[in-house]
């Protein structure tokens, strides 16, 4: 074959014709054969014989004769495929004509096929669309490859590029062509490979072999063979409680490997509780779980439900959603009062439990931790007790009189952030205990009341206060039984038990007593009652209710009361003295003396306050022997009271003239009375003198320098004109000590001194007597004015008055 293909082949026919077999595509000029030789012709004669090559009816000659050599040469390249197409035999017929003689020979030129064409497919790319659901063994026919060559040079076989899915089946079709088919060996999966590209090669049988290829492009068509798949099987999410409605809890997502409608996923709830349906909604398109209700940790702290993802044809899968609700501090603590002692007595000891409080918080964790406190300024505190209990105890003593009720504010704060707190106010009142005695407003009271007051008039009022409550603070007044001058005090004054007003029950007499003391008790109505007492000093004030009393001369004048005046008395010599007293005191007892009538008005004067009658000029013989003076004694009260008395003066040196006195006097029968009076006076005086001497003796024994009250009196007996007791200090002012208490006479020749009252040892030093028997003393201070006129000095001294 090879040889045939390359070299022309001479085949000798029976007619003497020549057949040549040549391969196609020989070059121009190539020698096919030597006709002259093959036909047995003389090559030299060809030209002469005008040899020519006739082609039957064909325009193209392809061959020519070299007339010189007799060789048949290729004049034009012969393409068998063009010349003969798919005919199996291809020959060119020529006739060589020679003249001289005419000679004709047939020449057959057989053209042999040369593998000059590769197999060719109709298109470059073959496209297939194959459902992924196609089953194994499915066949897909392929177009044949075309090869212009024939025979062995035509397509002999196909080969398919190695791949996972397809095999190639080749079989010969009735027309003798090689037909190939793709056979599915392994199912396609669009989700793995969306397309498969294969290379199909067709080869011919020529030498050298030629081949042609085509790309087979297989597009895998989707079938809904995948269900949606969630990214996670279980979704866990923490959701703060009170998340606003509309907030997204989580977005689930499932993917479906299928495409297009087959891959469209919608979501819906799978298994879900009724509670959760109230709280969550699901967006079917996006898979977002959305809050649609109030998320309350305290109601439910955990939700679990499933979500289904579904594609168009109903393939589905499920995912579990676990929602943990996280606590927010949205519940304030609540305070509840479990027990309370109300009211509490004010005398409870510090540390006494008065109430129990319970605190709760519905939140959890730190949001549930609660601190409890109480405001600062109350005497209470909270003691933590078991669990959430606190006991409210007192921290100090209570005093209802200071604070009678408390508003205790308890504040509970949790530890959340921000912390929430709540508070509760407890009203606690303190009940009374009788712990306060009544207290008088003053430490002591003084009442001043004028003598001769109206019985029943109020003289003073006392007030005591008791801050306790109701009867524990109700004060009742009463007098403490005591005696004044031996008489129960209740006969002097009475007290109104409710008001504390003290009334005088009788008229007081200053001359009887000047003050007394009353104890008043204030007592409350508690049980037991408490009391306190106060001293009320009642001072009786003097009124000018006593007129001066003349002590000397005796009011009923008689001869004995006649004063002897020496004839030689000089001007200024003391003649006599009027002595008067006034039971009142002070100004009311300050006496002044005046001569209202006299026999010889220019002869005698009287000291305004001393009562001393003195000669105003030297007495002469011409003066009448008998002189009468009427003297008025007036106190200084308002209005003043006065008394008058008469003084009889006899100017004579001779007692013998006394009988004449009888004439002067009025009644002789009075002499007897006078002598009695004298005897009485002398005995009293003697007694008193003895007494004085006794006192002096005792005093001298006690101390070297006694203080003598009656120093003026001592001198009296030794002098005819005893130093006037009023002049002891040389100023003519009455010594204050004597002002009230002592009356000494100097003018009487029959008695040296007189006493209005008797005195005893107790009267002497005021300081000493005070301590003895207070009941019998009135104390006071007396001011004496210097009445002599030289200076306006005053002096003050304390006077103790005692009456037995
Ligand atoms: C306690 O509160 C009540 C009512 O809120 C009020 O009337 C009272 O005065 C308060 N008491 C004290 C001691 O603050
Ligand atoms: C008075 O005090 C007593 C205790 O001393 C107490 O028991 C009583 O309740 C008080 N009375 C009032 C009205 O508070
Ligand atoms: C008066 O009070 C004093 C002290 O305050 C007391 O010692 C005295 O016993 C009380 N007298 C009466 C009668 O209550």
């Amino acid at each position: 074959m090879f040889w045939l293909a390359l070299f022309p082949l001479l085949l000798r026919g029976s007619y003497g014709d020549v057949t040549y077999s040549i391969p196609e595509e020989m070059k121009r000029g190539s020698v096919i054969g030597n006709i002259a030789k093959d036909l047995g012709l003389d090559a030299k004669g060809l030209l002469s014989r005008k040899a020519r090559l006739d082609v039957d009816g064909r325009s193209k000659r392809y061959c020519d004769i070299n007339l010189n050599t007799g060789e048949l040469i290729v004049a034009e390249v012969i393409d068998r495929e063009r010349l003969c197409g798919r005919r199996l035999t291809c020959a060119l017929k020529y006739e060589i004509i020679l003249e001289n003689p005419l000679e004709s020979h047939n020449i057959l030129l057989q053209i042999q096929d040369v593998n000059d064409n590769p197999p060719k497919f109709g298109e470059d790319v073959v496209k297939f669309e194959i459902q992924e659901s196609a089953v194994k063994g499915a066949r897909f026919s392929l177009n044949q490859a075309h090869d212009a060559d024939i025979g062995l040079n035509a397509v002999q076989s196909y080969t398919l590029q190695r791949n996972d899915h397809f095999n190639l089946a080749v079989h010969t079709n009735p027309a003798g062509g090689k037909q190939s088919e793709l056979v599915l060996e392994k199912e396609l999966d669009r989700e793995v490979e969306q397309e498969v590209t294969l290379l199909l090669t067709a080869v011919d049988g020529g030498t050298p072999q030629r081949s042609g290829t085509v790309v087979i492009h297989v597009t895998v068509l989707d079938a809904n063979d995948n269900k949606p798949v969630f990214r996670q099987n279980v979704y866990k999410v923490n959701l703060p409680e009170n998340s606003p409605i509309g907030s997204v809890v989580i977005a689930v997502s499932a993917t479906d490997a299928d495409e297009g409608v087959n891959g469209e996923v919608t979501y819906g709830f799978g298994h879900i509780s009724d509670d959760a349906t109230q709280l969550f909604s699901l967006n079917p398109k996006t898979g977002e779980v959305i809050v649609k209700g109030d998320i309350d940790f305290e109601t439910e702290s955990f939700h679990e439900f499933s979500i289904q993802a579904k594609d168009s044809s109903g393939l589905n899968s499920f995912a579990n959603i676990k929602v943990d609700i996280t606590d927010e501090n949205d519940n304030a603590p609540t305070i509840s009062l479990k027990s309370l002692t109300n009211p509490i007595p004010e005398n409870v000891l510090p540390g006494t439990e008065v109430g129990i409080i319970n605190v709760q918080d519905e939140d959890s964790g730190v949001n549930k931790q609660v601190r409890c406190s109480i405001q600062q300024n109350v005497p209470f505190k909270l003691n933590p007790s078991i669990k959430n209990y606190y006991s409210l105890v007192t921290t100090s003593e209570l005093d209802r009189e200071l604070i009678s009720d408390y508003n205790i504010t308890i504040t509970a704060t949790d530890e959340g952030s921000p912390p929430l707190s709540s508070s509760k106010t407890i009203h606690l009142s303190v009940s009374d205990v009788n712990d306060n005695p009544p207290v008088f407003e003053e430490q002591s009271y003084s009442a001043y009341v004028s003598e001769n007051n109206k019985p029943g008039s109020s003289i003073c009022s006392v007030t005591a206060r008791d801050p306790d409550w109701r009867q524990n603070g109700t004060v009742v007044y009463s007098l403490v039984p005591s005696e004044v001058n031996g008489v129960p005090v209740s006969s002097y004054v009475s007290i109104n038990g409710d008001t504390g007003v003290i009334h005088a029950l009788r008229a007081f007499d200053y001359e009887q007593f000047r003050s007394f003391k009353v104890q008043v008790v204030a007592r409350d109505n508690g049980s037991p009652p408490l009391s306190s007492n106060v001293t009320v000093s009642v001072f009786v004030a003097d009124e000018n209710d006593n007129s001066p009393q003349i002590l000397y001369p005796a009011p009923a004048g008689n001869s004995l009361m006649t004063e002897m005046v020496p004839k030689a008395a000089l001007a200024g010599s003391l003649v006599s003295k009027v002595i008067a007293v006034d039971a009142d005191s002070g100004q009311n007892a300050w006496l002044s003396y005046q001569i209202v009538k006299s026999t010889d008005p220019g002869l005698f004067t009287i000291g305004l306050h001393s009562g001393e009658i003195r000669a105003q000029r030297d007495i002469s013989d011409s003066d009448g022997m008998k002189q009468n003076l009427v003297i008025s004694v007036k106190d200084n009260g308002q209005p003043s009271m006065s008394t008058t008395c008469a003084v009889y003066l006899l100017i004579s040196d001779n007692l013998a003239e006394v009988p004449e006195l009888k004439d002067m006097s009025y009644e002789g029968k009075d002499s007897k009375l006078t002598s009695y009076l004298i005897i009485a006076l002398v005995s009293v005086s003697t007694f008193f003198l003895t007494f004085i001497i006794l006192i002096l003796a005792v005093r001298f024994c006690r101390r070297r320098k006694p203080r003598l009250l009656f120093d003026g009196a001592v001198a009296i007996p030794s002098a005819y004109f005893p130093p006037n007791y009023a002049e002891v200090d040389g100023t003519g002012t009455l010594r204050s000590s004597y002002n009230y208490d002592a009356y000494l006479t100097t003018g009487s020749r029959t008695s040296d001194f007189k006493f209005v009252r008797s005195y005893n040892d107790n009267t002497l030093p005021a300081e000493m007597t005070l301590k003895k028997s207070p009941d019998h003393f009135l104390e006071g201070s007396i001011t004496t004015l210097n009445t002599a006129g030289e200076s306006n000095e005053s002096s003050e001294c304390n006077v103790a008055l005692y009456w037995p």
Side-chain angles (χ1 to χ4, degrees):
M1 288 279 277
F2 183 72
W3 184 84
L4 264 181
L6 289 180
F7 300 101
L9 193 65
L10 175 65
L11 298 166
R12 204 166 274 272
S14 53
Y15 310 104
D17 296 342
V18 180
T19 300
Y20 290 102
S21 182
I22 59 161
E24 59 175 330
E25 309 282 342
M26 286 182 74
K27 285 185 189 136
R28 268 169 69 178
S30 307
V31 179
I32 299 168
N34 198 321
I35 291 174
K37 210 160 103 194
D38 291 341
L39 288 174
L41 299 173
D42 182 14
K44 295 185 176 110
L46 289 177
L47 192 52
S48 58
R49 290 181 72 187
K50 294 186 186 170
R52 66 173 190 266
L53 209 53
D54 274 352
V55 184
D56 47 336
R58 209 175 275 127
S59 56
K60 279 204 175 166
R61 290 178 64 89
Y62 295 113
C63 295
D64 244 334
I65 278 186
N66 187 338
L67 294 176
N68 292 326
T69 61
E71 287 173 328
L72 190 64
I73 56 169
V74 177
E76 204 170 331
V77 176
I78 303 164
D79 184 5
R80 192 203 68 87
E81 282 75 28
R82 181 182 299 168
L83 205 58
C84 302
R86 299 212 57 80
R87 267 174 289 150
L88 280 175
T89 54
C90 184
L92 291 172
K93 281 181 184 155
Y94 295 96
E95 210 171 350
I96 185 161
I97 308 291
L98 295 164
E99 293 176 10
N100 252 350
L102 188 59
E103 227 180 282
S104 128
H105 297 280
N106 285 330
I107 298 170
L108 193 63
L109 198 57
Q110 286 189 329
I111 311 295
Q112 299 298 325
D113 187 37
V114 167
N115 193 18
D116 58 348
N117 286 292
K120 252 188 191 161
F121 288 93
E123 58 269 90
D124 290 338
V125 177
V126 178
K127 290 189 172 168
F128 280 107
E129 290 191 337
I130 302 175
Q131 284 273 332
E132 59 175 325
S133 55
V135 292
K136 185 175 171 182
R139 287 169 180 262
F140 306 92
S141 295
L142 297 166
N143 284 336
Q144 289 183 48
H146 179 75
D147 194 330
D149 296 325
I150 54 168
L152 274 178
N153 291 337
V155 174
Q156 294 301 312
S157 65
Y158 294 95
T159 53
L160 187 63
Q161 176 193 359
R162 271 180 73 101
N163 70 90
D164 292 336
H165 296 281
F166 295 101
N167 268 342
L168 196 65
V170 181
H171 52 90
T172 311
N173 62 8
K178 298 274 185 189
Q179 181 76 43
S180 63
E181 282 176 326
L182 286 177
V183 179
L184 191 60
E185 277 294 311
K186 184 176 166 230
E187 284 88 349
L188 293 166
D189 186 356
R190 190 198 67 80
E191 288 70 36
V192 178
E193 265 177 309
Q194 294 201 347
E195 48 194 34
V196 180
T197 303
L198 301 167
L199 194 64
L200 182 65
T201 308
V203 288
D204 59 21
T207 309
Q209 208 169 37
R210 289 181 184 268
S211 66
T213 57
V214 68
V215 173
I216 302 172
H217 195 95
V218 178
T219 304
V220 184
L221 292 182
D222 185 49
N224 191 15
D225 57 347
N226 285 285
K227 56 183 187 180
V229 175
F230 281 98
R231 288 228 170 93
Q232 294 168 243
N233 283 334
V234 176
Y235 289 87
K236 283 188 178 167
V237 62
N238 287 334
L239 178 67
E241 72 167 315
N242 303 328
S243 288
I245 289 176
S247 50
V248 175
V249 180
I250 192 172
V252 297
S253 132
T255 48
D256 191 314
D258 297 326
E259 63 177 4
V261 192
N262 292 335
E264 270 174 18
V265 178
T266 53
Y267 302 92
F269 281 118
H271 169 76
I272 186 167
S273 68
D274 286 348
D275 288 348
T277 25
Q278 302 301 314
L279 299 179
F280 302 108
S281 65
L282 180 63
N283 185 326
K285 288 261 183 296
T286 61
E288 286 176 334
V289 178
I290 290 163
V291 175
K292 77 166 186 188
D294 285 341
I295 307 292
D296 186 12
F297 173 85
E298 286 72 35
T299 318
E300 190 63 67
S301 65
F302 178 72
H303 296 281
E304 183 169 10
F305 48 87
S306 65
I307 290 179
Q308 129 177 289
K310 204 162 65 169
D311 66 17
S312 57
S313 62
L315 292 177
N316 62 4
S317 62
F318 291 90
N320 250 353
I321 315 291
K322 296 183 173 179
V323 182
D324 260 316
I325 310 292
T326 51
D327 185 41
E328 294 274 302
N329 193 22
D330 59 345
N331 287 286
T334 52
I335 303 170
S336 50
L337 189 60
K338 294 296 179 191
S339 81
L340 181 68
T341 314
N342 192 17
I344 41 171
E346 59 178 322
N347 62 351
V348 293
L349 294 174
T352 307
E353 181 179 272
V354 298
I356 293 173
I357 282 136
N358 181 250
V359 182
Q360 301 281 357
D361 193 309
E362 287 183 23
D363 293 320
S364 69
V366 287
N367 296 339
K368 194 183 180 69
Q369 307 280 309
V370 179
R371 274 177 294 111
C372 232
S373 65
I374 200 169
Q375 86 261 41
Q376 287 300 309
N377 50 355
V378 291
F380 296 94
K381 67 172 180 186
L382 281 177
N383 276 349
S385 183
I386 47 164
K387 288 209 295 190
N388 297 324
Y389 285 88
Y390 292 85
S391 57
L392 181 66
V393 298
T394 58
T395 54
S396 63
E397 281 171 356
L398 305 177
D399 187 358
R400 191 201 65 83
E401 285 71 38
L402 281 179
I403 302 171
S404 64
D405 55 354
Y406 294 94
N407 284 337
I408 301 166
T409 305
I410 295 166
T411 308
T413 310
D414 62 27
E415 309 258 308
S417 105
L420 292 176
S421 67
S422 61
S423 62
K424 186 182 187 73
T425 299
I426 298 172
H427 185 81
L428 201 60
S429 40
V430 182
S431 66
D432 187 45
V433 165
N434 191 21
D435 56 353
N436 287 287
V439 174
F440 283 97
E441 282 179 347
E442 320 246 328
Q443 299 224 314
S444 64
Y445 290 85
S446 299
Y448 297 92
V449 51
S450 296
E451 58 177 337
N452 305 323
N453 55 313
K454 264 203 260 160
S457 58
S458 70
I459 56 171
C460 170
S461 93
V462 296
T463 313
R465 307 230 174 263
D466 188 330
D468 287 326
W469 182 244
R470 294 268 162 84
Q471 72 255 33
N472 291 341
T474 307
V475 181
V476 175
Y477 304 94
S478 61
L479 297 178
V480 178
S482 65
E483 291 193 343
V484 174
N485 291 346
V487 179
V489 75
S490 56
S491 64
Y492 287 101
V493 290
S494 71
I495 189 161
N496 183 320
D498 296 331
T499 61
V501 175
I502 298 174
H503 297 271
L505 289 182
R506 56 163 75 173
F508 301 129
D509 186 358
Y510 176 83
E511 287 71 35
Q512 239 185 328
F513 53 79
R514 297 185 180 180
S515 70
F516 59 95
K517 291 192 161 124
V518 182
Q519 289 262 301
V520 175
V521 178
R523 179 175 284 115
D524 62 28
N525 270 339
S527 144
L530 296 174
S531 66
S532 60
N533 61 42
V534 74
T535 303
V536 179
S537 305
V538 180
F539 294 101
V540 180
D542 185 42
E543 276 193 346
N544 195 18
D545 59 345
N546 291 284
S547 53
Q549 276 184 303
I550 312 289
L551 300 177
Y552 182 87
N558 58 38
S559 58
L560 279 177
M561 290 303 165
T562 301
E563 293 285 343
M564 298 281 286
V565 181
K567 279 185 178 150
L570 298 175
S573 61
L574 184 64
V575 174
S576 181
K577 181 175 170 76
V578 176
I579 296 172
V581 291
D582 194 313
D584 296 321
S585 67
Q587 294 280 326
N588 294 337
W590 195 24
L591 302 181
S592 53
Y593 302 84
Q594 260 181 317
I595 297 172
V596 292
K597 203 173 153 201
S598 64
T599 315
D600 185 348
L603 193 50
F604 298 105
T605 62
I606 190 160
L608 182 59
H609 295 294
S610 62
E612 289 167 349
I613 302 169
R614 291 174 186 269
Q616 206 167 4
R617 57 175 168 78
D618 296 348
I619 293 175
S620 64
D621 292 341
S622 58
D623 292 322
M625 199 173 148
K626 289 183 272 181
Q627 298 282 338
N628 290 350
L629 302 174
V630 176
I631 290 163
S632 147
V633 183
K634 202 167 72 175
D635 64 26
N636 205 22
Q638 283 293 336
S640 66
M641 301 183 90
S642 64
T643 325
T644 53
C645 69
V647 175
Y648 303 109
L649 300 173
L650 187 66
I651 301 174
S652 165
D653 292 333
N654 193 356
L655 272 176
E657 292 166 338
V658 169
E660 292 173 38
L661 290 176
K662 290 201 169 146
D663 307 336
M664 247 174 76
S665 60
Y666 312 102
E667 292 103 336
K669 57 175 176 165
D670 284 350
S671 61
K672 213 174 184 182
L673 183 70
T674 307
S675 38
Y676 287 145
L677 196 64
I678 289 170
I679 291 164
L681 272 173
V682 166
S683 53
V684 168
S685 304
T686 314
F687 175 73
F688 184 61
L689 255 183
T690 318
F691 207 90
I692 292 283
I693 288 160
L694 259 174
I695 291 166
L696 288 176
V698 169
R699 290 258 139 195
F700 272 112
C701 290
R702 275 204 198 153
R703 44 166 125 154
R704 287 247 55 98
K705 209 179 150 204
R707 287 209 295 158
L708 285 180
L709 185 59
F710 293 94
D711 46 356
V714 177
I716 291 168
S718 62
Y720 179 74
F721 290 125
N724 190 314
Y725 71 92
E727 287 185 330
V728 169
D729 55 4
T731 61
T733 304
L734 278 173
R735 280 183 61 114
S736 53
S737 311
Y738 305 160
N739 196 352
Y740 182 85
D741 303 297
Y743 303 90
L744 300 176
T745 180
T746 55
S748 170
R749 286 178 192 171
T750 50
S751 80
D752 289 321
F753 43 81
K754 296 179 178 178
F755 289 98
V756 177
R757 296 187 183 197
S758 61
Y759 288 79
N760 67 22
D761 169 65
N762 287 339
T763 52
L764 288 172
E767 300 87 353
M768 286 171 67
T769 55
L770 258 178
K771 289 156 194 154
K772 286 216 156 176
S773 172
D775 284 348
H776 295 202
F777 275 93
L778 286 178
E779 291 173 74
S781 122
I782 291 174
T783 305
T784 65
L785 293 172
N786 185 336
T787 51
E790 291 91 358
S791 67
N792 278 332
E793 290 168 353
S794 66
S795 65
E796 200 177 282
C797 72
N798 284 320
V799 175
L801 175 63
Y802 171 80
W803 62 98

